[in-house]
Amino acid sequence: MASIICGSLAFDTIMRFEGKFSDQILPDQIHNLNVSFLVPSLRRDFGGCAGNIAYALQQLGGEPLPMATLGTDGADYLQHLKDHGIATDYVRVVEGSYTAQAMIMTDQANNQITAFHPGAMMQAHQTRIAARSDVKLGIVSPDGRDAMLQHAEQFAAAGIPFLFDPGQGLPMFDGAALRHFVSLASWVTVNDYEGKMLSERTGLGFAELSRQVQGLVVTLGGEGSEVWIEGERQLVAPVQAAELVDPTGCGDAYRGALLYGLERGWPLARCAELGNRIGALKIAHRGPQNYRVDRAAWGL
């Protein structure tokens, strides 16, 4: 059975500045800022939440159906998906737009300056969800605001259980909108920071949030994750990464594991265990879609 993955497809351009931003930016001249940074290290990765989640689910042996948009510069990304056996039924090219792009510059102190261009992502709401006999689950991950709202409602109308994963899109919504998402969703997943923001905006603690859905999952980075069901909390132990190379896309890999386990009817805690495991694998590789899962070794 397949899972529809609503979210972004994006190019991540990563640059490394071999100094410190603080040495180049004069605080008393911030009103007259004009600086240039030499970045001898640059790479471009396939990214975006829908792409990263779909990649993880495919690596685990699932059947992802990303629902997302690309711009007219997205031919390489489209081919990348096909090369990895990821269906592109719901990937649409928006003429006259660029693919969403994040341009990230990191200095020696691991400070970052990021510019994000949403591009074609802002048209994601034009693709609609309908019931399909081969679709078992879905996820609403960060995307254009209209797309997140409409896709959540379309999942519910089609009778397709889905994960609500607001991620970095959470600040776009007020408490009423977030409570509406929760009322439609079957599960909610957030990191600890997003979880605090979700609680503040909805006025609902984790225990109460978990009573409104089948389960709430809160990831804690290197501390593992929490699974909340009917107000009860269970801590799922972390998995030690072989090395710490690049955290980009770890949360998305984790969500791919949640979908894989839920597709198979696993208890939520077992899904979280797999999420911790694939997150540890991802963090040992540079870029969000460059790791490989040995399914046989993992017993999948």
Side-chain angles (χ1 to χ4, degrees):
M1 298 294 284
S3 292
I4 295 177
I5 301 170
C6 300
S8 61
L9 296 176
F11 291 119
D12 294 338
T13 300
I14 313 296
M15 297 161 281
R16 186 74 182 181
F17 172 55
E18 296 181 348
K20 295 181 179 179
F21 296 143
S22 58
D23 294 336
Q24 303 295 320
I25 299 174
L26 303 176
D28 61 344
Q29 294 296 312
I30 198 74
H31 65 286
N32 191 32
L33 190 64
N34 185 2
V35 294
S36 176
F37 300 99
L38 177 65
V39 287
S41 173
L42 181 148
R43 76 176 193 274
R44 195 186 200 203
D45 290 323
F46 297 109
C49 294
N52 297 343
I53 295 169
Y55 181 86
L57 182 54
Q58 186 276 334
Q59 283 291 304
L60 292 167
E63 298 179 42
L65 281 171
M67 179 176 282
T69 50
L70 292 168
T72 50
D73 59 340
D76 287 349
Y77 206 140
L78 197 62
Q79 189 59 51
H80 167 76
L81 293 172
K82 293 176 180 177
D83 289 346
H84 285 86
I86 297 173
T88 57
D89 307 38
Y90 294 135
V91 177
R92 190 166 56 85
V93 174
V94 179
E95 296 297 330
S97 292
Y98 288 109
T99 300
Q101 301 189 39
M103 287 147 278
I104 305 165
M105 182 166 52
T106 306
D107 72 0
Q108 285 185 332
N110 283 324
N111 297 305
Q112 290 187 325
I113 297 174
T114 300
F116 181 73
H117 173 67
M121 187 185 80
M122 299 308 292
Q123 303 304 315
H125 62 281
Q126 294 185 16
T127 308
R128 297 183 59 82
I129 293 164
R132 276 178 48 163
S133 60
D134 63 331
V135 171
K136 185 172 185 178
L137 292 173
I139 183 170
V140 173
S141 65
D143 206 348
R145 188 180 191 278
D146 290 343
M148 293 180 71
L149 286 166
Q150 293 178 28
H151 288 158
E153 292 174 347
Q154 289 161 14
F155 272 131
I160 300 172
F162 73 94
L163 275 159
F164 176 47
D165 168 31
Q168 63 265 37
L170 197 152
M172 295 190 293
F173 303 103
D174 61 16
L178 291 167
R179 286 192 295 272
H180 182 56
F181 276 117
V182 172
S183 73
L184 298 172
S186 297
W187 305 273
V188 175
T189 178
V190 287
N191 65 28
D192 51 349
Y193 179 83
E194 295 157 359
K196 292 182 179 69
M197 184 182 293
L198 180 62
S199 288
E200 288 177 3
R201 295 204 172 183
T202 61
L204 302 171
F206 289 172
E208 183 57 31
L209 278 167
S210 73
R211 293 189 184 98
Q212 313 238 343
V213 290
Q214 294 182 37
L216 166 69
V217 178
V218 183
T219 59
L220 306 173
E223 302 301 315
S225 47
E226 294 177 345
V227 171
W228 290 79
I229 297 175
E230 288 294 330
E232 298 295 326
R233 170 184 172 272
Q234 179 179 349
L235 182 64
V236 180
V239 174
Q240 185 68 38
E243 56 181 326
L244 304 179
V245 175
D246 180 9
T248 308
C250 282
D252 295 330
Y254 186 103
R255 282 142 183 79
L258 291 182
L259 286 173
Y260 179 85
L262 291 171
E263 281 181 359
R264 284 149 185 80
W266 291 3
L268 195 54
R270 184 180 176 190
C271 300
E273 289 171 359
L274 184 63
N276 289 345
R277 189 174 186 184
I278 198 170
L281 174 67
K282 207 270 27 112
I283 205 171
H285 294 77
R286 195 166 301 281
Q289 298 180 32
N290 296 318
Y291 58 93
R292 299 288 185 273
V293 173
D294 185 339
R295 296 176 197 165
W298 284 31
L300 300 175

